[in-house]
Amino acid sequence: MTAKRNPTTWPVLVIGGGHAGIEAAWAAAKFGPVALLVSNPATIGRMPCNPAVGGPGKSQMVFEIQALGGLMGRVADDTAIHTRVLNVSKGPAVQSLRVQNERDAYAERAQEYLLGNANIQIVRGEAADLEPSLEHGAQSWVVVTTDGRRLSARSVVIAAGTFLRGLTWYGRQSRAEGRQGEPPARFLSAPLERAGHALKRYKTGTPPRVRADAVDFSALLELPADPKPRGFTGTPGPSAALSPTWQTHTTPETHRLIRENLHESPMFAGDIEGLGPRYCPSIEDKVTRFAHHDRHLLFVEPEGLQTSEVYLQGFSSSLPPNVQDRLVRSLPGFGRSVIHRYAYAVEYDVIDSTELTLNLESRLMAGVFTAGQINGTSGYEEAAAQGLVAGTAAARRSLELDTGKSGTAPIVSRETSYIGVMIEDIVQRGSDEPYRMMTSRAQHRLLLRQDNADERLSERAFELGLIGGERRQAVQLKYERIAQATSLLGAQRIQGVTADTWLRRDGASLADLEALGAELPALDLAEREALEIRVKYAGYIERSLRQLASEGRARGVSLEHLDYSAVPTLSNEAREKLGRARPRTLEQAARLPGVRHGDIASLLVHLRQRGVVSRETSNRG
């Protein structure tokens, strides 16, 4: 089956051209022809909120996307105008790269990559229905468009973003939109409901865009880019350090105006049904929930080098435009500001993510995969990561590359990636608000650093067919060089101790070692960083590895006949869920929604005290 032989039939069809749809199409195209169905190809890759990629918990996923052969890191590096590593002083487990992008160039570059891929065919249209079909005796799907076309695919990936029955809100006024100026997906919720999927309403918001020439930048705190730009793929493009960002803050006047106009907010007035993201609240939420704070920091970031707009990161709002004008002018540096595009909230349908497999395939519609905000997540990076997983799994299903009673093996796991952490969280625990990745969600975050994503995932990417042998070998040679350098440090003595011991001193660096005469092989910047982390944190890394191995041994521990009321440190929610589900093993218990890692630790301690498991098995590190 190829798109050239039959332009209405594909192995995989992807609906939606946001960050999830892009990665799904890119991954699936590694295996064969793909159709990317979008209402307007010019909107592919748009960044409706902040034009930036990365940040805590998110950059780790972008490095993982890159290691798995994905696209987001490449596009971000190609269009970077400001790069900065965050949390430098807090250790490698939480250090995170953030790349500011040229907004319009990002979309253009993403489109260029897709258009340049011979296996991707962009099809213009709106999906109106999904119908099951049996083609050549195999389960497949027909996507019916609003103009009556019938597009057949073995697997379908729905990456609808905020468009499912989308409504945008400006104050108490709403209109049917998936985002500003773009019509919603009007019909696609119906076939999901018809199949038995329970849909919920979520909401998210965007900040206002302000004319840059009306901002007094001298009143703002300037945040320069890192002097040596970093990228997700190595060295970013030539514009990566050309623009600073800035910082301002709310004032007592800002807070007074918000409190006086809360009745104009659709959230506070009860007009919006959807639940918003706790960790990315609107400015109204911040002022209300944190009334004891007299100011909130805001980041002023450019939309590009040539654009006339800046946006206020941390200032999303659904208040009406006339109120937004006064709010923005109450900020330091914005007294004469003019808003080009007003902030708005968007409300949309999401599915219950517990109705998915760990490869994001619907348990109710075999062959239909979902990725991105339709699964209840929030953020470009979260969407892109899901798109890669769903696109890969969809393509492998279409080629019958994964078989077995239990279905396909997970593309990635919680133990090896932030992507696996996110997918396990949303599938096994679900969400009651938009899910946002944070470093605190990964219990083994010291092992899941951004610097070692290629080491963790390149072999898996090669097994899946997402990268070739040449790239796999390059990663292997990189870590061989790092291992050789580690051994070399252990064999040299500096000031009476081995060089690796000396490097573990507070504030010590490889450059300091070299100045004292230590010899190192030729390594690039990324390799030197990886070497330094491995040496400095060797003890902590070893302890984390032992803890991970201990958890692996404990997965098969039996819970048959266990009285959960006798485990005093279990949370009430976990006790209720475990008592109802009666899982047979600890691994099954860990997958239940509402059962957290602390509850699993409590079960292990209890079982050890009863002599059911050994101290080694239940050791938590």
Side-chain angles (χ1 to χ4, degrees):
M1 252 185 344
T2 68
K4 289 182 179 178
R5 288 205 305 266
N6 186 343
T8 63
T9 302
W10 291 271
V12 177
L13 186 147
V14 178
I15 301 173
H19 300 283
I22 289 170
E23 294 294 347
W26 188 257
K30 305 278 179 80
F31 301 88
V34 181
L36 179 60
L37 180 65
V38 291
S39 294
N40 181 0
T43 65
I44 291 173
R46 275 192 178 171
M47 305 177 96
C49 194
N50 55 313
V53 172
K58 294 169 173 284
S59 74
Q60 286 82 354
M61 287 196 294
V62 181
F63 277 101
E64 290 170 1
I65 291 168
Q66 174 64 21
L68 290 165
L71 199 54
M72 174 173 265
R74 292 164 64 179
V75 180
D77 284 357
D78 290 348
T79 59
I81 61 173
H82 175 107
T83 72
R84 193 149 55 98
V85 177
L86 309 179
N87 298 327
V88 173
S89 64
K90 295 183 179 180
V94 294
Q95 287 177 6
S96 307
L97 175 65
R98 189 171 188 272
V99 175
Q100 188 75 22
N101 297 105
E102 182 93 40
R103 182 197 65 198
D104 295 339
Y106 186 98
E108 291 167 3
R109 192 75 180 110
Q111 292 167 29
E112 288 171 4
Y113 276 116
L114 296 182
L115 290 168
N117 190 319
N119 267 356
I120 298 175
Q121 182 172 346
I122 297 174
V123 179
R124 186 166 191 153
E126 179 186 352
D129 204 356
L130 269 175
E131 297 177 357
S133 172
L134 283 176
E135 185 171 305
H136 309 300
Q139 169 73 59
S140 60
W141 291 89
V142 173
V143 178
V144 184
T145 64
T146 52
D147 57 9
R149 284 173 293 163
R150 297 176 64 82
L151 311 176
S152 177
R154 181 79 168 84
S155 301
V156 174
V157 180
I158 303 176
T162 60
F163 282 72
L164 287 184
R165 292 198 286 229
L167 285 176
T168 57
W169 291 86
Y170 302 80
R172 305 290 298 278
Q173 302 297 314
S174 68
R175 55 180 180 247
E177 292 180 318
R179 61 188 174 203
Q180 191 175 57
E182 297 182 47
R186 298 167 291 173
F187 309 109
L188 204 49
S189 295
L192 295 172
E193 289 179 314
R194 192 168 64 235
H197 276 291
L199 301 188
K200 303 181 285 187
R201 296 289 277 177
Y202 276 3
K203 81 99 182 175
T204 190
T206 65
R209 266 61 169 189
V210 181
R211 271 182 51 179
D213 59 7
V215 177
D216 178 9
F217 290 97
S218 67
L220 310 181
L221 174 65
E222 183 172 312
L223 303 172
D226 287 343
K228 293 182 179 179
R230 300 290 304 279
F232 296 107
T233 62
T235 303
S239 301
L242 293 185
S243 176
T245 61
W246 302 266
Q247 195 178 85
T248 187
H249 56 82
T250 60
T251 64
E253 175 66 5
T254 315
H255 295 201
R256 182 188 67 80
L257 287 168
I258 288 172
R259 287 192 295 267
E260 289 179 356
N261 289 279
L262 280 178
H263 63 284
E264 297 278 8
S265 165
M267 277 292 291
F268 286 86
D271 297 326
I272 291 181
E273 303 171 24
L275 297 167
R278 177 182 312 190
Y279 299 105
C280 188
S282 67
I283 193 63
E284 302 97 278
D285 291 334
K286 289 180 186 177
V287 169
T288 304
R289 286 164 47 191
F290 307 105
H292 55 289
H293 291 169
D294 60 1
R295 66 166 59 181
H296 295 282
L297 290 179
L298 304 170
F299 293 90
V300 181
E301 301 182 326
E303 298 261 288
L305 297 176
Q306 307 300 324
T307 184
S308 60
E309 296 177 347
V310 296
Y311 72 91
L312 285 161
Q313 175 70 356
F315 204 80
S316 66
S317 176
S318 58
L319 287 166
N322 65 318
V323 177
Q324 290 186 42
D325 286 329
R326 287 180 286 159
L327 287 176
V328 172
R329 289 172 189 153
S330 71
L331 307 175
F334 287 80
R336 299 185 301 107
S337 66
V338 176
I339 297 179
H340 260 178
R341 290 181 289 161
Y342 289 95
Y344 62 92
V346 58
E347 187 181 15
Y348 52 97
D349 285 349
V350 301
I351 66 168
D352 180 349
S353 53
T354 63
E355 297 167 346
L356 304 174
T357 71
L358 288 173
N359 282 340
L360 305 179
E361 183 176 11
S362 167
R363 296 183 188 275
L364 307 175
M365 306 169 75
V368 174
F369 299 74
T370 56
Q373 284 175 283
I374 186 176
N375 290 341
T377 59
S378 173
Y380 303 152
E381 300 84 357
E382 289 88 340
Q386 291 171 69
L388 186 148
V389 169
T392 302
R396 292 181 66 82
R397 177 189 182 277
S398 73
L399 296 172
E400 298 183 348
L401 293 176
D402 297 292
T403 58
K405 293 181 181 179
S406 60
T408 60
I411 299 298
V412 290
S413 70
R414 185 183 197 99
E415 293 75 24
T416 60
S417 65
Y418 268 78
I419 298 175
V421 170
M422 171 184 63
I423 291 177
E424 185 176 301
D425 281 353
I426 63 174
V427 169
Q428 295 182 357
R429 292 174 171 80
S431 66
D432 55 10
E433 62 185 32
Y435 177 99
R436 190 179 183 87
M437 177 50 74
M438 299 175 290
T439 53
S440 60
R441 296 192 190 275
Q443 70 271 33
H444 299 297
R445 52 189 170 274
L446 183 57
L447 302 179
L448 306 181
R449 307 181 307 276
Q450 63 177 26
D451 71 276
N452 71 346
D454 54 353
E455 182 183 30
R456 291 183 277 117
L457 294 172
S458 291
E459 187 64 30
R460 179 60 175 153
F462 177 75
E463 291 172 0
L464 290 166
L466 293 171
I467 66 171
E470 186 176 341
R471 181 164 167 184
R472 173 205 195 193
Q473 185 179 32
V475 173
Q476 291 173 338
L477 291 173
K478 169 185 173 180
Y479 287 98
E480 286 175 10
R481 289 191 295 271
I482 293 169
Q484 291 168 0
T486 305
S487 297
L488 185 59
L489 287 179
Q492 299 179 65
R493 297 191 71 81
I494 298 293
Q495 296 181 344
V497 297
T498 59
D500 56 353
T501 300
W502 192 95
L503 186 58
R504 294 187 187 105
R505 296 179 178 181
D506 286 345
S509 68
L510 284 176
D512 296 332
L513 264 182
E514 290 172 311
L516 291 171
E519 295 182 1
L520 282 173
L523 301 173
D524 64 24
L525 180 62
E527 291 167 351
R528 286 173 66 89
E529 178 186 70
L531 170 63
E532 192 163 321
I533 289 171
R534 277 163 169 70
V535 173
K536 278 183 169 293
Y537 295 90
Y540 299 102
I541 291 171
E542 180 60 32
R543 186 174 71 179
S544 294
L545 287 169
R546 288 198 304 270
Q547 178 180 334
L548 185 62
S550 169
E551 291 177 2
R553 290 190 294 271
R555 287 190 192 120
V557 170
S558 174
L559 298 180
E560 302 255 24
H561 313 301
L562 181 62
D563 179 6
Y564 296 109
S565 65
V567 186
T569 53
L570 271 182
S571 69
N572 290 332
E573 182 181 11
R575 188 174 287 110
E576 177 187 339
K577 297 291 178 63
L578 290 164
R580 185 184 308 136
R582 301 303 308 179
R584 291 184 293 105
T585 64
L586 202 68
E587 182 173 23
Q588 290 178 356
R591 292 180 177 176
L592 291 175
V595 177
R596 305 186 180 279
H597 295 290
D599 298 313
I600 298 301
S602 296
L603 290 172
L604 275 169
V605 170
H606 179 75
L607 292 169
R608 187 189 73 197
Q609 291 170 344
R610 294 181 57 200
V612 177
V613 298
S614 68
R615 179 175 294 274
E616 180 188 32
T617 299
S618 61
N619 175 34
R620 305 295 292 177

